[in-house]
């Protein structure tokens, strides 16, 4: 039997995640939303694309959590997205309530699943999902640093006019203004970025990466990015289902690594069938270490706020 992936929230990101995992022909997919008709209509449309694209994944849409039973992975995209002028933190109160209720339903109906959070503010929503589900911390993780490093990689590829597949960027920390792009661990065809670009250009790329989400919100005006976010989430689902143990920068529960403890934050981690298999420690400069500490402080301040909600 094919593994089962449920996607909670059938909006822009959720529907694209469902489509991408269905197209990998890996899984059967359940798309769930509170709005009646939307997940059913989108799922039927995707199911019918299978005959043209050539996949046999079964896709169903629903408003009933009973349908997520026996899911191997549950991807959570339910919640509000940013509009121009909003920070990800502005979403905190509303999305905390949504993630609590979604996580309680996952605990009840898919207690053996791995939970992958996409909803913002990402690191704190992953923390809320961990608390509300009562799952082992390794079975709850967040998608964001993979998206952030994809943004950084694409800006570097544009600057150097090289294939983006040759760029290996690293981004750690929070998915927010204090995210930590890591130039010291960013390479193009194996060469350190500092050997290829002057510091001012690298600084500009770092800044554009930090503001990468807002740049897209500014263009779209009615919502936030979803093509690259869904690609990142689908890649992580594949790593879990295929047990690749690939090192993917993800929001994971820190347990002493990098001097951090008890918070979800973007770190390199091996991702496999048990969720977070191992957090990987890489060399950082003193400046990058300081930035990671500041990032952690911002996440902890949000975590404290949401615990009181
Ligand atoms: P959108 O297209 O508005 O879809 C959200 C969906 O969630 C809608 O269909 C809602 O009906 C549904 N929903 C709301 N409440 C519930 C609920 N209680 N149960 C089930 N479904 C519900 O937004 P989007 O898809 O663009 O974004 C979804 C979330 O992902 C937002 O919080 C974004 O900020 C976040 N996001 C995160 C990243 C990261 O990199 C972490 C990237 C892009 C979007």
């Amino acid at each position: 039997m094919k593994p089962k992936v449920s996607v909670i929230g059938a909006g822009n990101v959720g529907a694209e995640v469902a489509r991408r995992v269905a197209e990998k022909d890996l899984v059967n997919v359940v798309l769930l939303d509170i709005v009646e008709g939307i997940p059913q209509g989108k799922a039927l449309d995707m199911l019918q694309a299978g005959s043209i694209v050539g996949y046999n994944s079964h896709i169903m849409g629903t408003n009933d959590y009973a349908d997520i039973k026996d899911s191997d992975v549950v991807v959570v995209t339910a919640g509000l997205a940013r509009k121009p002028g909003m920070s990800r933190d502005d979403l905190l109160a509303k999305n905390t309530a949504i993630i609590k209720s979604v996580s309680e339903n996952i605990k009840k109906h898919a207690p053996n699943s791995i939970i992958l959070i996409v909803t913002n503010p990402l690191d704190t929503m992953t923390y809320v999902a961990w608390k509300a589900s009562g799952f082992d911390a390794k079975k709850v993780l967040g998608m964001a640093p993979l998206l952030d490093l994809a943004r950084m990689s694409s800006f570097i590829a544009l600057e150097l006019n090289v294939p983006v597949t040759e760029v290996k960027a690293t981004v750690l920390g929070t998915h927010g203004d204090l995210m930590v792009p890591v130039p010291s661990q960013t390479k193009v065809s194996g060469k350190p970025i500092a050997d290829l670009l002057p510091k001012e250009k690298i600084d500009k790329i770092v800044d554009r990466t930090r503001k990468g989400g807002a740049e897209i919100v500014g263009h779209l005006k009615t919502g936030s990015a979803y093509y690259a976010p869904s690609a990142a989430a689908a890649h992580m689902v594949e790593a879990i289902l295929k047990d690749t143990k690939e090192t993917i920068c993800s929001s994971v529960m820190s347990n002493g690594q990098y001097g951090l403890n008890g918070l979800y934050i973007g770190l390199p981690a091996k991702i496999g069938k048990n969720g977070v298999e191992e957090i990987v420690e890489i060399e950082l400069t003193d400046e990058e270490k300081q930035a990671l500490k500041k990032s952690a402080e911002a996440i902890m301040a949000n975590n404290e706020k949401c615990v009181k909600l």
Side-chain angles (χ1 to χ4, degrees):
M1 210 172 71
K2 283 187 174 165
K4 178 168 171 179
V5 173
S6 293
V7 181
I8 314 298
N12 283 338
V13 180
E16 270 295 297
V17 171
R19 183 182 70 78
R20 286 181 188 279
V21 294
E23 285 186 356
K24 289 179 194 280
D25 208 12
L26 276 175
V27 292
N28 292 324
V29 184
V30 172
L31 186 58
L32 183 149
D33 203 285
I34 37 164
V35 180
E36 280 179 28
I38 294 289
Q40 290 86 349
K42 289 190 179 183
L44 194 56
D45 195 7
M46 283 179 218
L47 185 76
Q48 291 162 1
S51 118
I52 303 161
V53 180
Y55 56 80
N56 288 299
S57 305
H58 183 265
I59 309 153
M60 75 168 289
T62 184
N63 308 111
D64 184 355
Y65 274 97
D67 291 321
I68 74 166
K69 184 173 180 279
D70 296 331
S71 295
D72 298 282
V73 183
V74 181
V75 184
V76 180
T77 73
L80 305 186
R82 281 195 293 171
K83 302 256 163 33
M86 286 172 86
S87 75
R88 293 178 180 95
D89 292 351
D90 291 335
L91 306 171
L92 189 74
K94 290 215 165 91
N95 285 351
T96 295
I98 291 171
I99 295 302
K100 271 188 188 162
S101 106
V102 168
S103 306
E104 283 158 9
N105 275 302
I106 297 172
K107 177 185 184 177
K108 184 168 168 201
H109 295 280
N112 298 319
S113 60
I114 308 281
I115 305 179
L116 176 60
I117 299 291
V118 178
T119 305
N120 273 319
L122 189 274
D123 305 285
T124 295
M125 291 304 105
T126 311
Y127 180 79
V128 171
W130 167 62
K131 286 239 159 203
S133 66
F135 279 20
D136 183 325
K138 291 184 174 151
K139 293 184 70 190
V140 182
L141 68 164
M143 182 294 292
L146 179 58
L147 167 67
D148 298 328
L149 71 84
R151 286 178 173 154
M152 186 170 175
S153 299
S154 66
F155 299 145
I156 292 169
L158 286 174
E159 185 62 42
L160 290 170
N161 196 20
V162 295
V164 73
T165 44
E166 287 297 302
V167 186
K168 301 283 169 255
T170 299
V171 177
L172 308 178
T174 184
H175 181 58
D177 297 341
L178 293 174
M179 83 175 57
V180 187
V182 182
S184 72
Q185 292 287 343
T186 294
K187 297 191 170 122
V188 179
S189 306
K191 286 192 190 143
I193 188 71
D195 292 356
L196 302 167
L197 284 173
K199 186 174 180 315
E200 315 79 73
K201 285 253 160 81
I202 296 174
D203 288 348
K204 271 198 180 147
I205 287 172
V206 162
D207 187 54
R208 193 174 176 195
T209 301
R210 286 204 181 103
K211 296 175 182 154
E215 185 176 350
I216 291 175
V217 172
H219 286 301
L220 295 178
K221 300 198 172 59
T222 53
S224 59
Y226 51 98
Y227 292 113
S230 59
H235 186 81
M236 292 176 74
V237 169
E238 193 169 1
I240 295 166
L241 295 179
K242 290 188 175 167
D243 192 27
T244 62
K245 299 191 175 66
E246 177 188 343
T247 300
I248 300 177
C249 293
S250 311
S251 186
V252 296
M253 173 56 83
S254 51
N255 190 15
Q257 300 86 353
Y258 299 89
L260 305 168
N261 236 317
L263 73 155
Y264 277 91
I265 183 163
L267 298 175
K270 292 187 179 167
I271 306 300
K273 67 177 185 324
N274 301 306
V276 181
E277 306 281 347
E278 186 189 333
I279 295 177
V280 179
E281 300 216 47
I282 56 173
E283 279 293 314
L284 299 177
T285 64
D286 286 346
E287 199 184 333
E288 290 159 353
K289 281 183 200 156
Q290 275 309 314
L292 192 59
K293 195 164 165 257
K294 276 198 181 152
S295 213
E297 285 163 5
I299 295 170
M300 283 191 293
N302 263 350
N303 290 356
E304 272 168 38
K305 273 190 229 158
C306 82
V307 166
K308 291 181 195 143
L309 290 169

